[in-house]
Amino acid sequence: SQTFASGAGGYERLRMGSESGWRSQQLVVGQGGGMFIADPSASVTLTSGVFRVEQGGLFRDDTGGTSHVGFSSTSSNASATISGNGSTWLTPNAVSVGASGSQNQLLVEFGGKLLADSATIGGSSGNNNRLTLNGLGASCFATNGLTVAGSQNQFLIQTGGVFLGSQIIASGSSALVSLAGTGAVANCSTQLVLSGSQSRLQVSSGANLFTSNGVLLNAFSGSTADISGEGSLWKLTGGLTISAPFFLSATNRVIVSSKASIVSPSLSLSSSTFGRAALAVQSGQLFVTNASGTANMTVNGPLDLNRGLLRADKVTASSASLSVINIRAGNAEWVACDLSAGIPLRIGDGTNLA
């Protein structure tokens, strides 16, 4: 193995240029150390697949191509860690975790930073790969966003971790985007999209998600956004769109529960004759309001309130065959309501519907 650091007894900094190569069992860039890959023809080979940037070390990839965890698009069981204040993986291009491999993981923890143009977890054949942000100051900055592709790949933001980028897209089958714990934050300037089959968003235990827009549009077996736990928040500045899948009996669903909150100036729930778009408030809070009092909540699908609070400026429902509003328990408040003929508004006694 090799360590790049001040006083490490070896190299402090290494710049790899044209046709240069590095091979070792594992590689550590530590305090005062730096490794710079400056040419597309340079290569790094780690026989154990273990790479660490720690104690303020710097790894920089200026090759113009994608930085792969495991240093190969086909790597499997590779592990990369960025740990400690000031420790940084920097590239002006993309970072990929498991493009065509499996069981690869990139961990950013306790002040470590990943700075890239964009990031992708999984790929056309990559599965069971993971990017984790954990601990105070752990951060990922992806200017053009992050995509969870492939199959069963995960993006995990845990207590203290922060993501900042244009968007998060969960396009892979069974893709998971999870924010859990106080101080876990994702801030997307444009959107979060769940488009993969059985893709999931989980915001829990006081985590906060900020986006302009949120879209559930999976066309096949449905996707789920689950916002739960006191202090957990999904705040949107554009709007939340819940569309129906194409497959019969499949559902795209948003659930807000256990004192969590969703805040949006617009919400559209649109079931179809093929699949359903559903929204459930279960002891949570849903606010569809704006400063001018014109925020609209369109309910053309099943809406279920079972304790908690639903507050909207205006509720509109136009489909007699698809719109269903069930108020089992809790408080439903709106200033204006426009329900077309034949749309049921059912009010219960805390357990049963009327």
Side-chain angles (χ1 to χ4, degrees), residues 4 11-16 21-22 27 33-37:
F4 293 89
Y11 300 97
E12 182 172 335
R13 290 182 173 85
L14 176 67
R15 182 181 185 276
M16 299 180 63
W22 178 272
L27 181 62
M35 185 173 191
F36 307 86
I37 304 179

Side-chain angles (χ1 to χ4, degrees), residues 248-297:
L248 190 66
S249 78
T251 302
N252 286 328
R253 187 188 313 274
V254 172
I255 304 168
V256 54
S257 64
S258 304
K259 299 183 179 181
S261 300
I262 295 177
V263 179
S264 178
S266 173
L267 191 149
S268 175
L269 183 65
S270 303
S271 287
S272 71
T273 55
F274 298 100
R276 294 200 317 161
L279 174 62
V281 180
Q282 301 171 352
S283 299
Q285 300 179 104
L286 173 63
F287 300 91
V288 184
T289 59
N290 61 22
S292 60
T294 58
N296 190 44
M297 179 176 177

Side-chain angles (χ1 to χ4, degrees), residues 145-146 163 165-169 187-193 209-215 217 234 236 239:
L146 179 144
F163 171 82
S166 61
Q167 61 185 0
I168 297 175
I169 298 178
N187 196 324
C188 302
S189 59
T190 58
Q191 61 183 351
L192 180 138
V193 178
L209 170 62
F210 301 94
T211 67
S212 178
N213 297 301
V215 182
L217 50 70
W234 185 4
L236 305 96

